[in-house]
Amino acid sequence: MGIKTKEEYIESIRALKPTVYMFGEKLTTSVVDNPRLRAGIEATGATYELANMPENRDLFITTSPLINEPVNRFTLPPASIEDLVARVKINRKVANYVGTCHQRCTGLDCLSTLAIVTYDIDKKYGTHYNDNFIEFLKYMQKNDLTGNAGVTDVKGDRSLAPHAQVDKDMFLRVVEKREDGIVVRGAKSHQTGSLSSHEIIVLPTRAMGKDDGDYSVAFAIPSDTPGLIHVVGRSSLDMREIEGCDCGNVYYSKYCPTLIFNDVFVPWNRVFMCGETEFAVDMVVKFSSFHRQSHGGCKSGKIDCMTGAALTMMDYNGTAKMSHLKQKVIDMIHRAETLYGCCLASSYEGKQQPSGNYFIDTVLANASKIHEGKEMAEATRLMIDCAGGYVADLPSDRDFSNPEIGDLLKKYLKGVDKIPVEDRVKMFRLIEKMAMESADTISDIHGGGSAEAHRVTIFRESDTESKKKAAKRLAGIKD
Ligand SMILES: Cc1cc2nc3c(=O)[nH]c(=O)nc-3n(C[C@H](O)[C@H](O)[C@H](O)COP(=O)(O)OP(=O)(O)OC[C@H]3O[C@@H](n4cnc5c(N)ncnc54)[C@H](O)[C@@H]3O)c2cc1C
């Protein structure tokens, strides 16, 4: 109970017994003992490790008014502007530490959403979802747990609504209602860190129509619930961790399973919505906006690491004083800061909701995510430009330690004389990892929803009438 250390977090994940398949086989050992998954679990572990460092405690730890105890902010739905701002800052801090996705923001984004929407549903229907949620939140906070966001359905034919699909299970749905709970079936794709999480928090992935009642469901269950199957997806470079060689980022990585719900039981006290179709859109807009804000904090922290890698490589290559490279580093830094600035602005413009919780400014959060989608790619291009071609095809560490060719490689891959060749090789590897780890880099584009979803939200949530009014007044046109 209380704030966990990283070691306590790892042991609490070890205590879970999820069903996991990876590379065609069922995992028979604990996920924390598998090097591929452990690198992802370590990234989430950093949210615990950093929170326990004395210099970070003021930022990461606060008192929850709900349980009146100190909690890690990754379990705290925002209840003030200060809390919204802190969300961005902790994400930047952790990403800056791990250089990849730390995987814990999605659970906080679900908690932040449910704190608002369950209250609104109860107000309209006299249901008790908010009571269920508050009990769940107390449990998360008291035990300092990590949640995963089970939002994206596999979706089948994208042109059809959930109820109209040929296979009715293409969106997760309730297949049975019992006295003690519901049984759900379906699959959620790209489940970042589902095995680094104690709880899977499921929300609908899209707006629902009146015929989609069975699909309008939200709940939370432990990640090792019977019937849940985690199928770990491939990511470029994933065998490096299995081989224990050429990892680049020597501590952390990211993985995203597809999560199959094979008729899974959910007790009623863990259900946060069931059939209130018109609230599905609120769930998805609130979640995705919160998540797009989290991304901005996180990705500005990752660009910090990328900038550091570019600058270090310039030192190692003897190019630190070349003015065009300095310009490129400046172009990386301003991209990180505009992303960060946009997310902070979305926090400062946040508003209190009927539940008492705070919600960010959606237009600014979505603007930040559009910016991220394009500018992370540009920052990556600039980092690679500064570093050189060995980001693409560096020989393996095994070649460097080969008795026949190792010394030759070390001789020819040296940069400036005073830097050990081993350090230059390590930095190339890190840059390769940050540029090409597909599970992380592709989340810049599709994570939190694809780019069109951000545009649609921006147009819908912007006050377009006041903009037209301003233009008409200047042109002397009366309304
Ligand atoms: C690395 C990574 C991590 C992720 N982590 C998580 C996670 O932790 N939890 C989670 O729930 N999700 C997660 N996601 C999922 C992410 O939210 C989805 O990938 C995203 O919403 C796009 O869905 P999709 O992949 O099914 O692509 P699609 O929805 O098939 O989109 C492909 C393209 O088709 C367009 N399109 C699709 N349907 C329509 C339509 N009806 N009308 C118009 N255009 C359409 C889209 O705009 C897009 O351009 C992650 C994704 C990635 C890549």
Side-chain angles (χ1 to χ4, degrees), residues 386-407:
C386 292
Y390 265 125
V391 179
D393 50 15
L394 193 68
S396 167
D397 281 353
R398 289 179 184 147
D399 292 316
F400 283 94
S401 49
N402 179 297
E404 288 153 38
I405 54 161
D407 286 344

Side-chain angles (χ1 to χ4, degrees), residues 149 151-152 155 158 189-192 439 442-443 446 448-450 452:
V151 179
T152 307
K155 296 187 295 222
R158 271 73 174 146
S189 39
H190 320 291
Q191 295 301 288
T192 301
I442 293 174
S443 81
H446 283 297
S450 313
E452 194 55 23

Side-chain angles (χ1 to χ4, degrees), residues 315-344:
D315 288 342
Y316 292 179
N317 287 346
T319 55
K321 293 200 166 64
M322 313 281 175
S323 64
H324 77 101
L325 292 180
K326 275 196 210 161
Q327 288 304 324
K328 285 167 182 162
V329 168
I330 292 167
D331 283 347
M332 293 176 74
I333 295 173
H334 85 66
R335 284 179 163 83
E337 299 309 330
T338 44
L339 194 52
Y340 184 56
C342 209
C343 292
L344 285 178

Side-chain angles (χ1 to χ4, degrees), residues 137-149:
L137 182 60
K138 282 184 194 165
Y139 168 71
M140 294 292 283
Q141 291 188 339
K142 278 181 185 286
N143 295 286
D144 198 4
L145 300 181
T146 291
N148 149 275

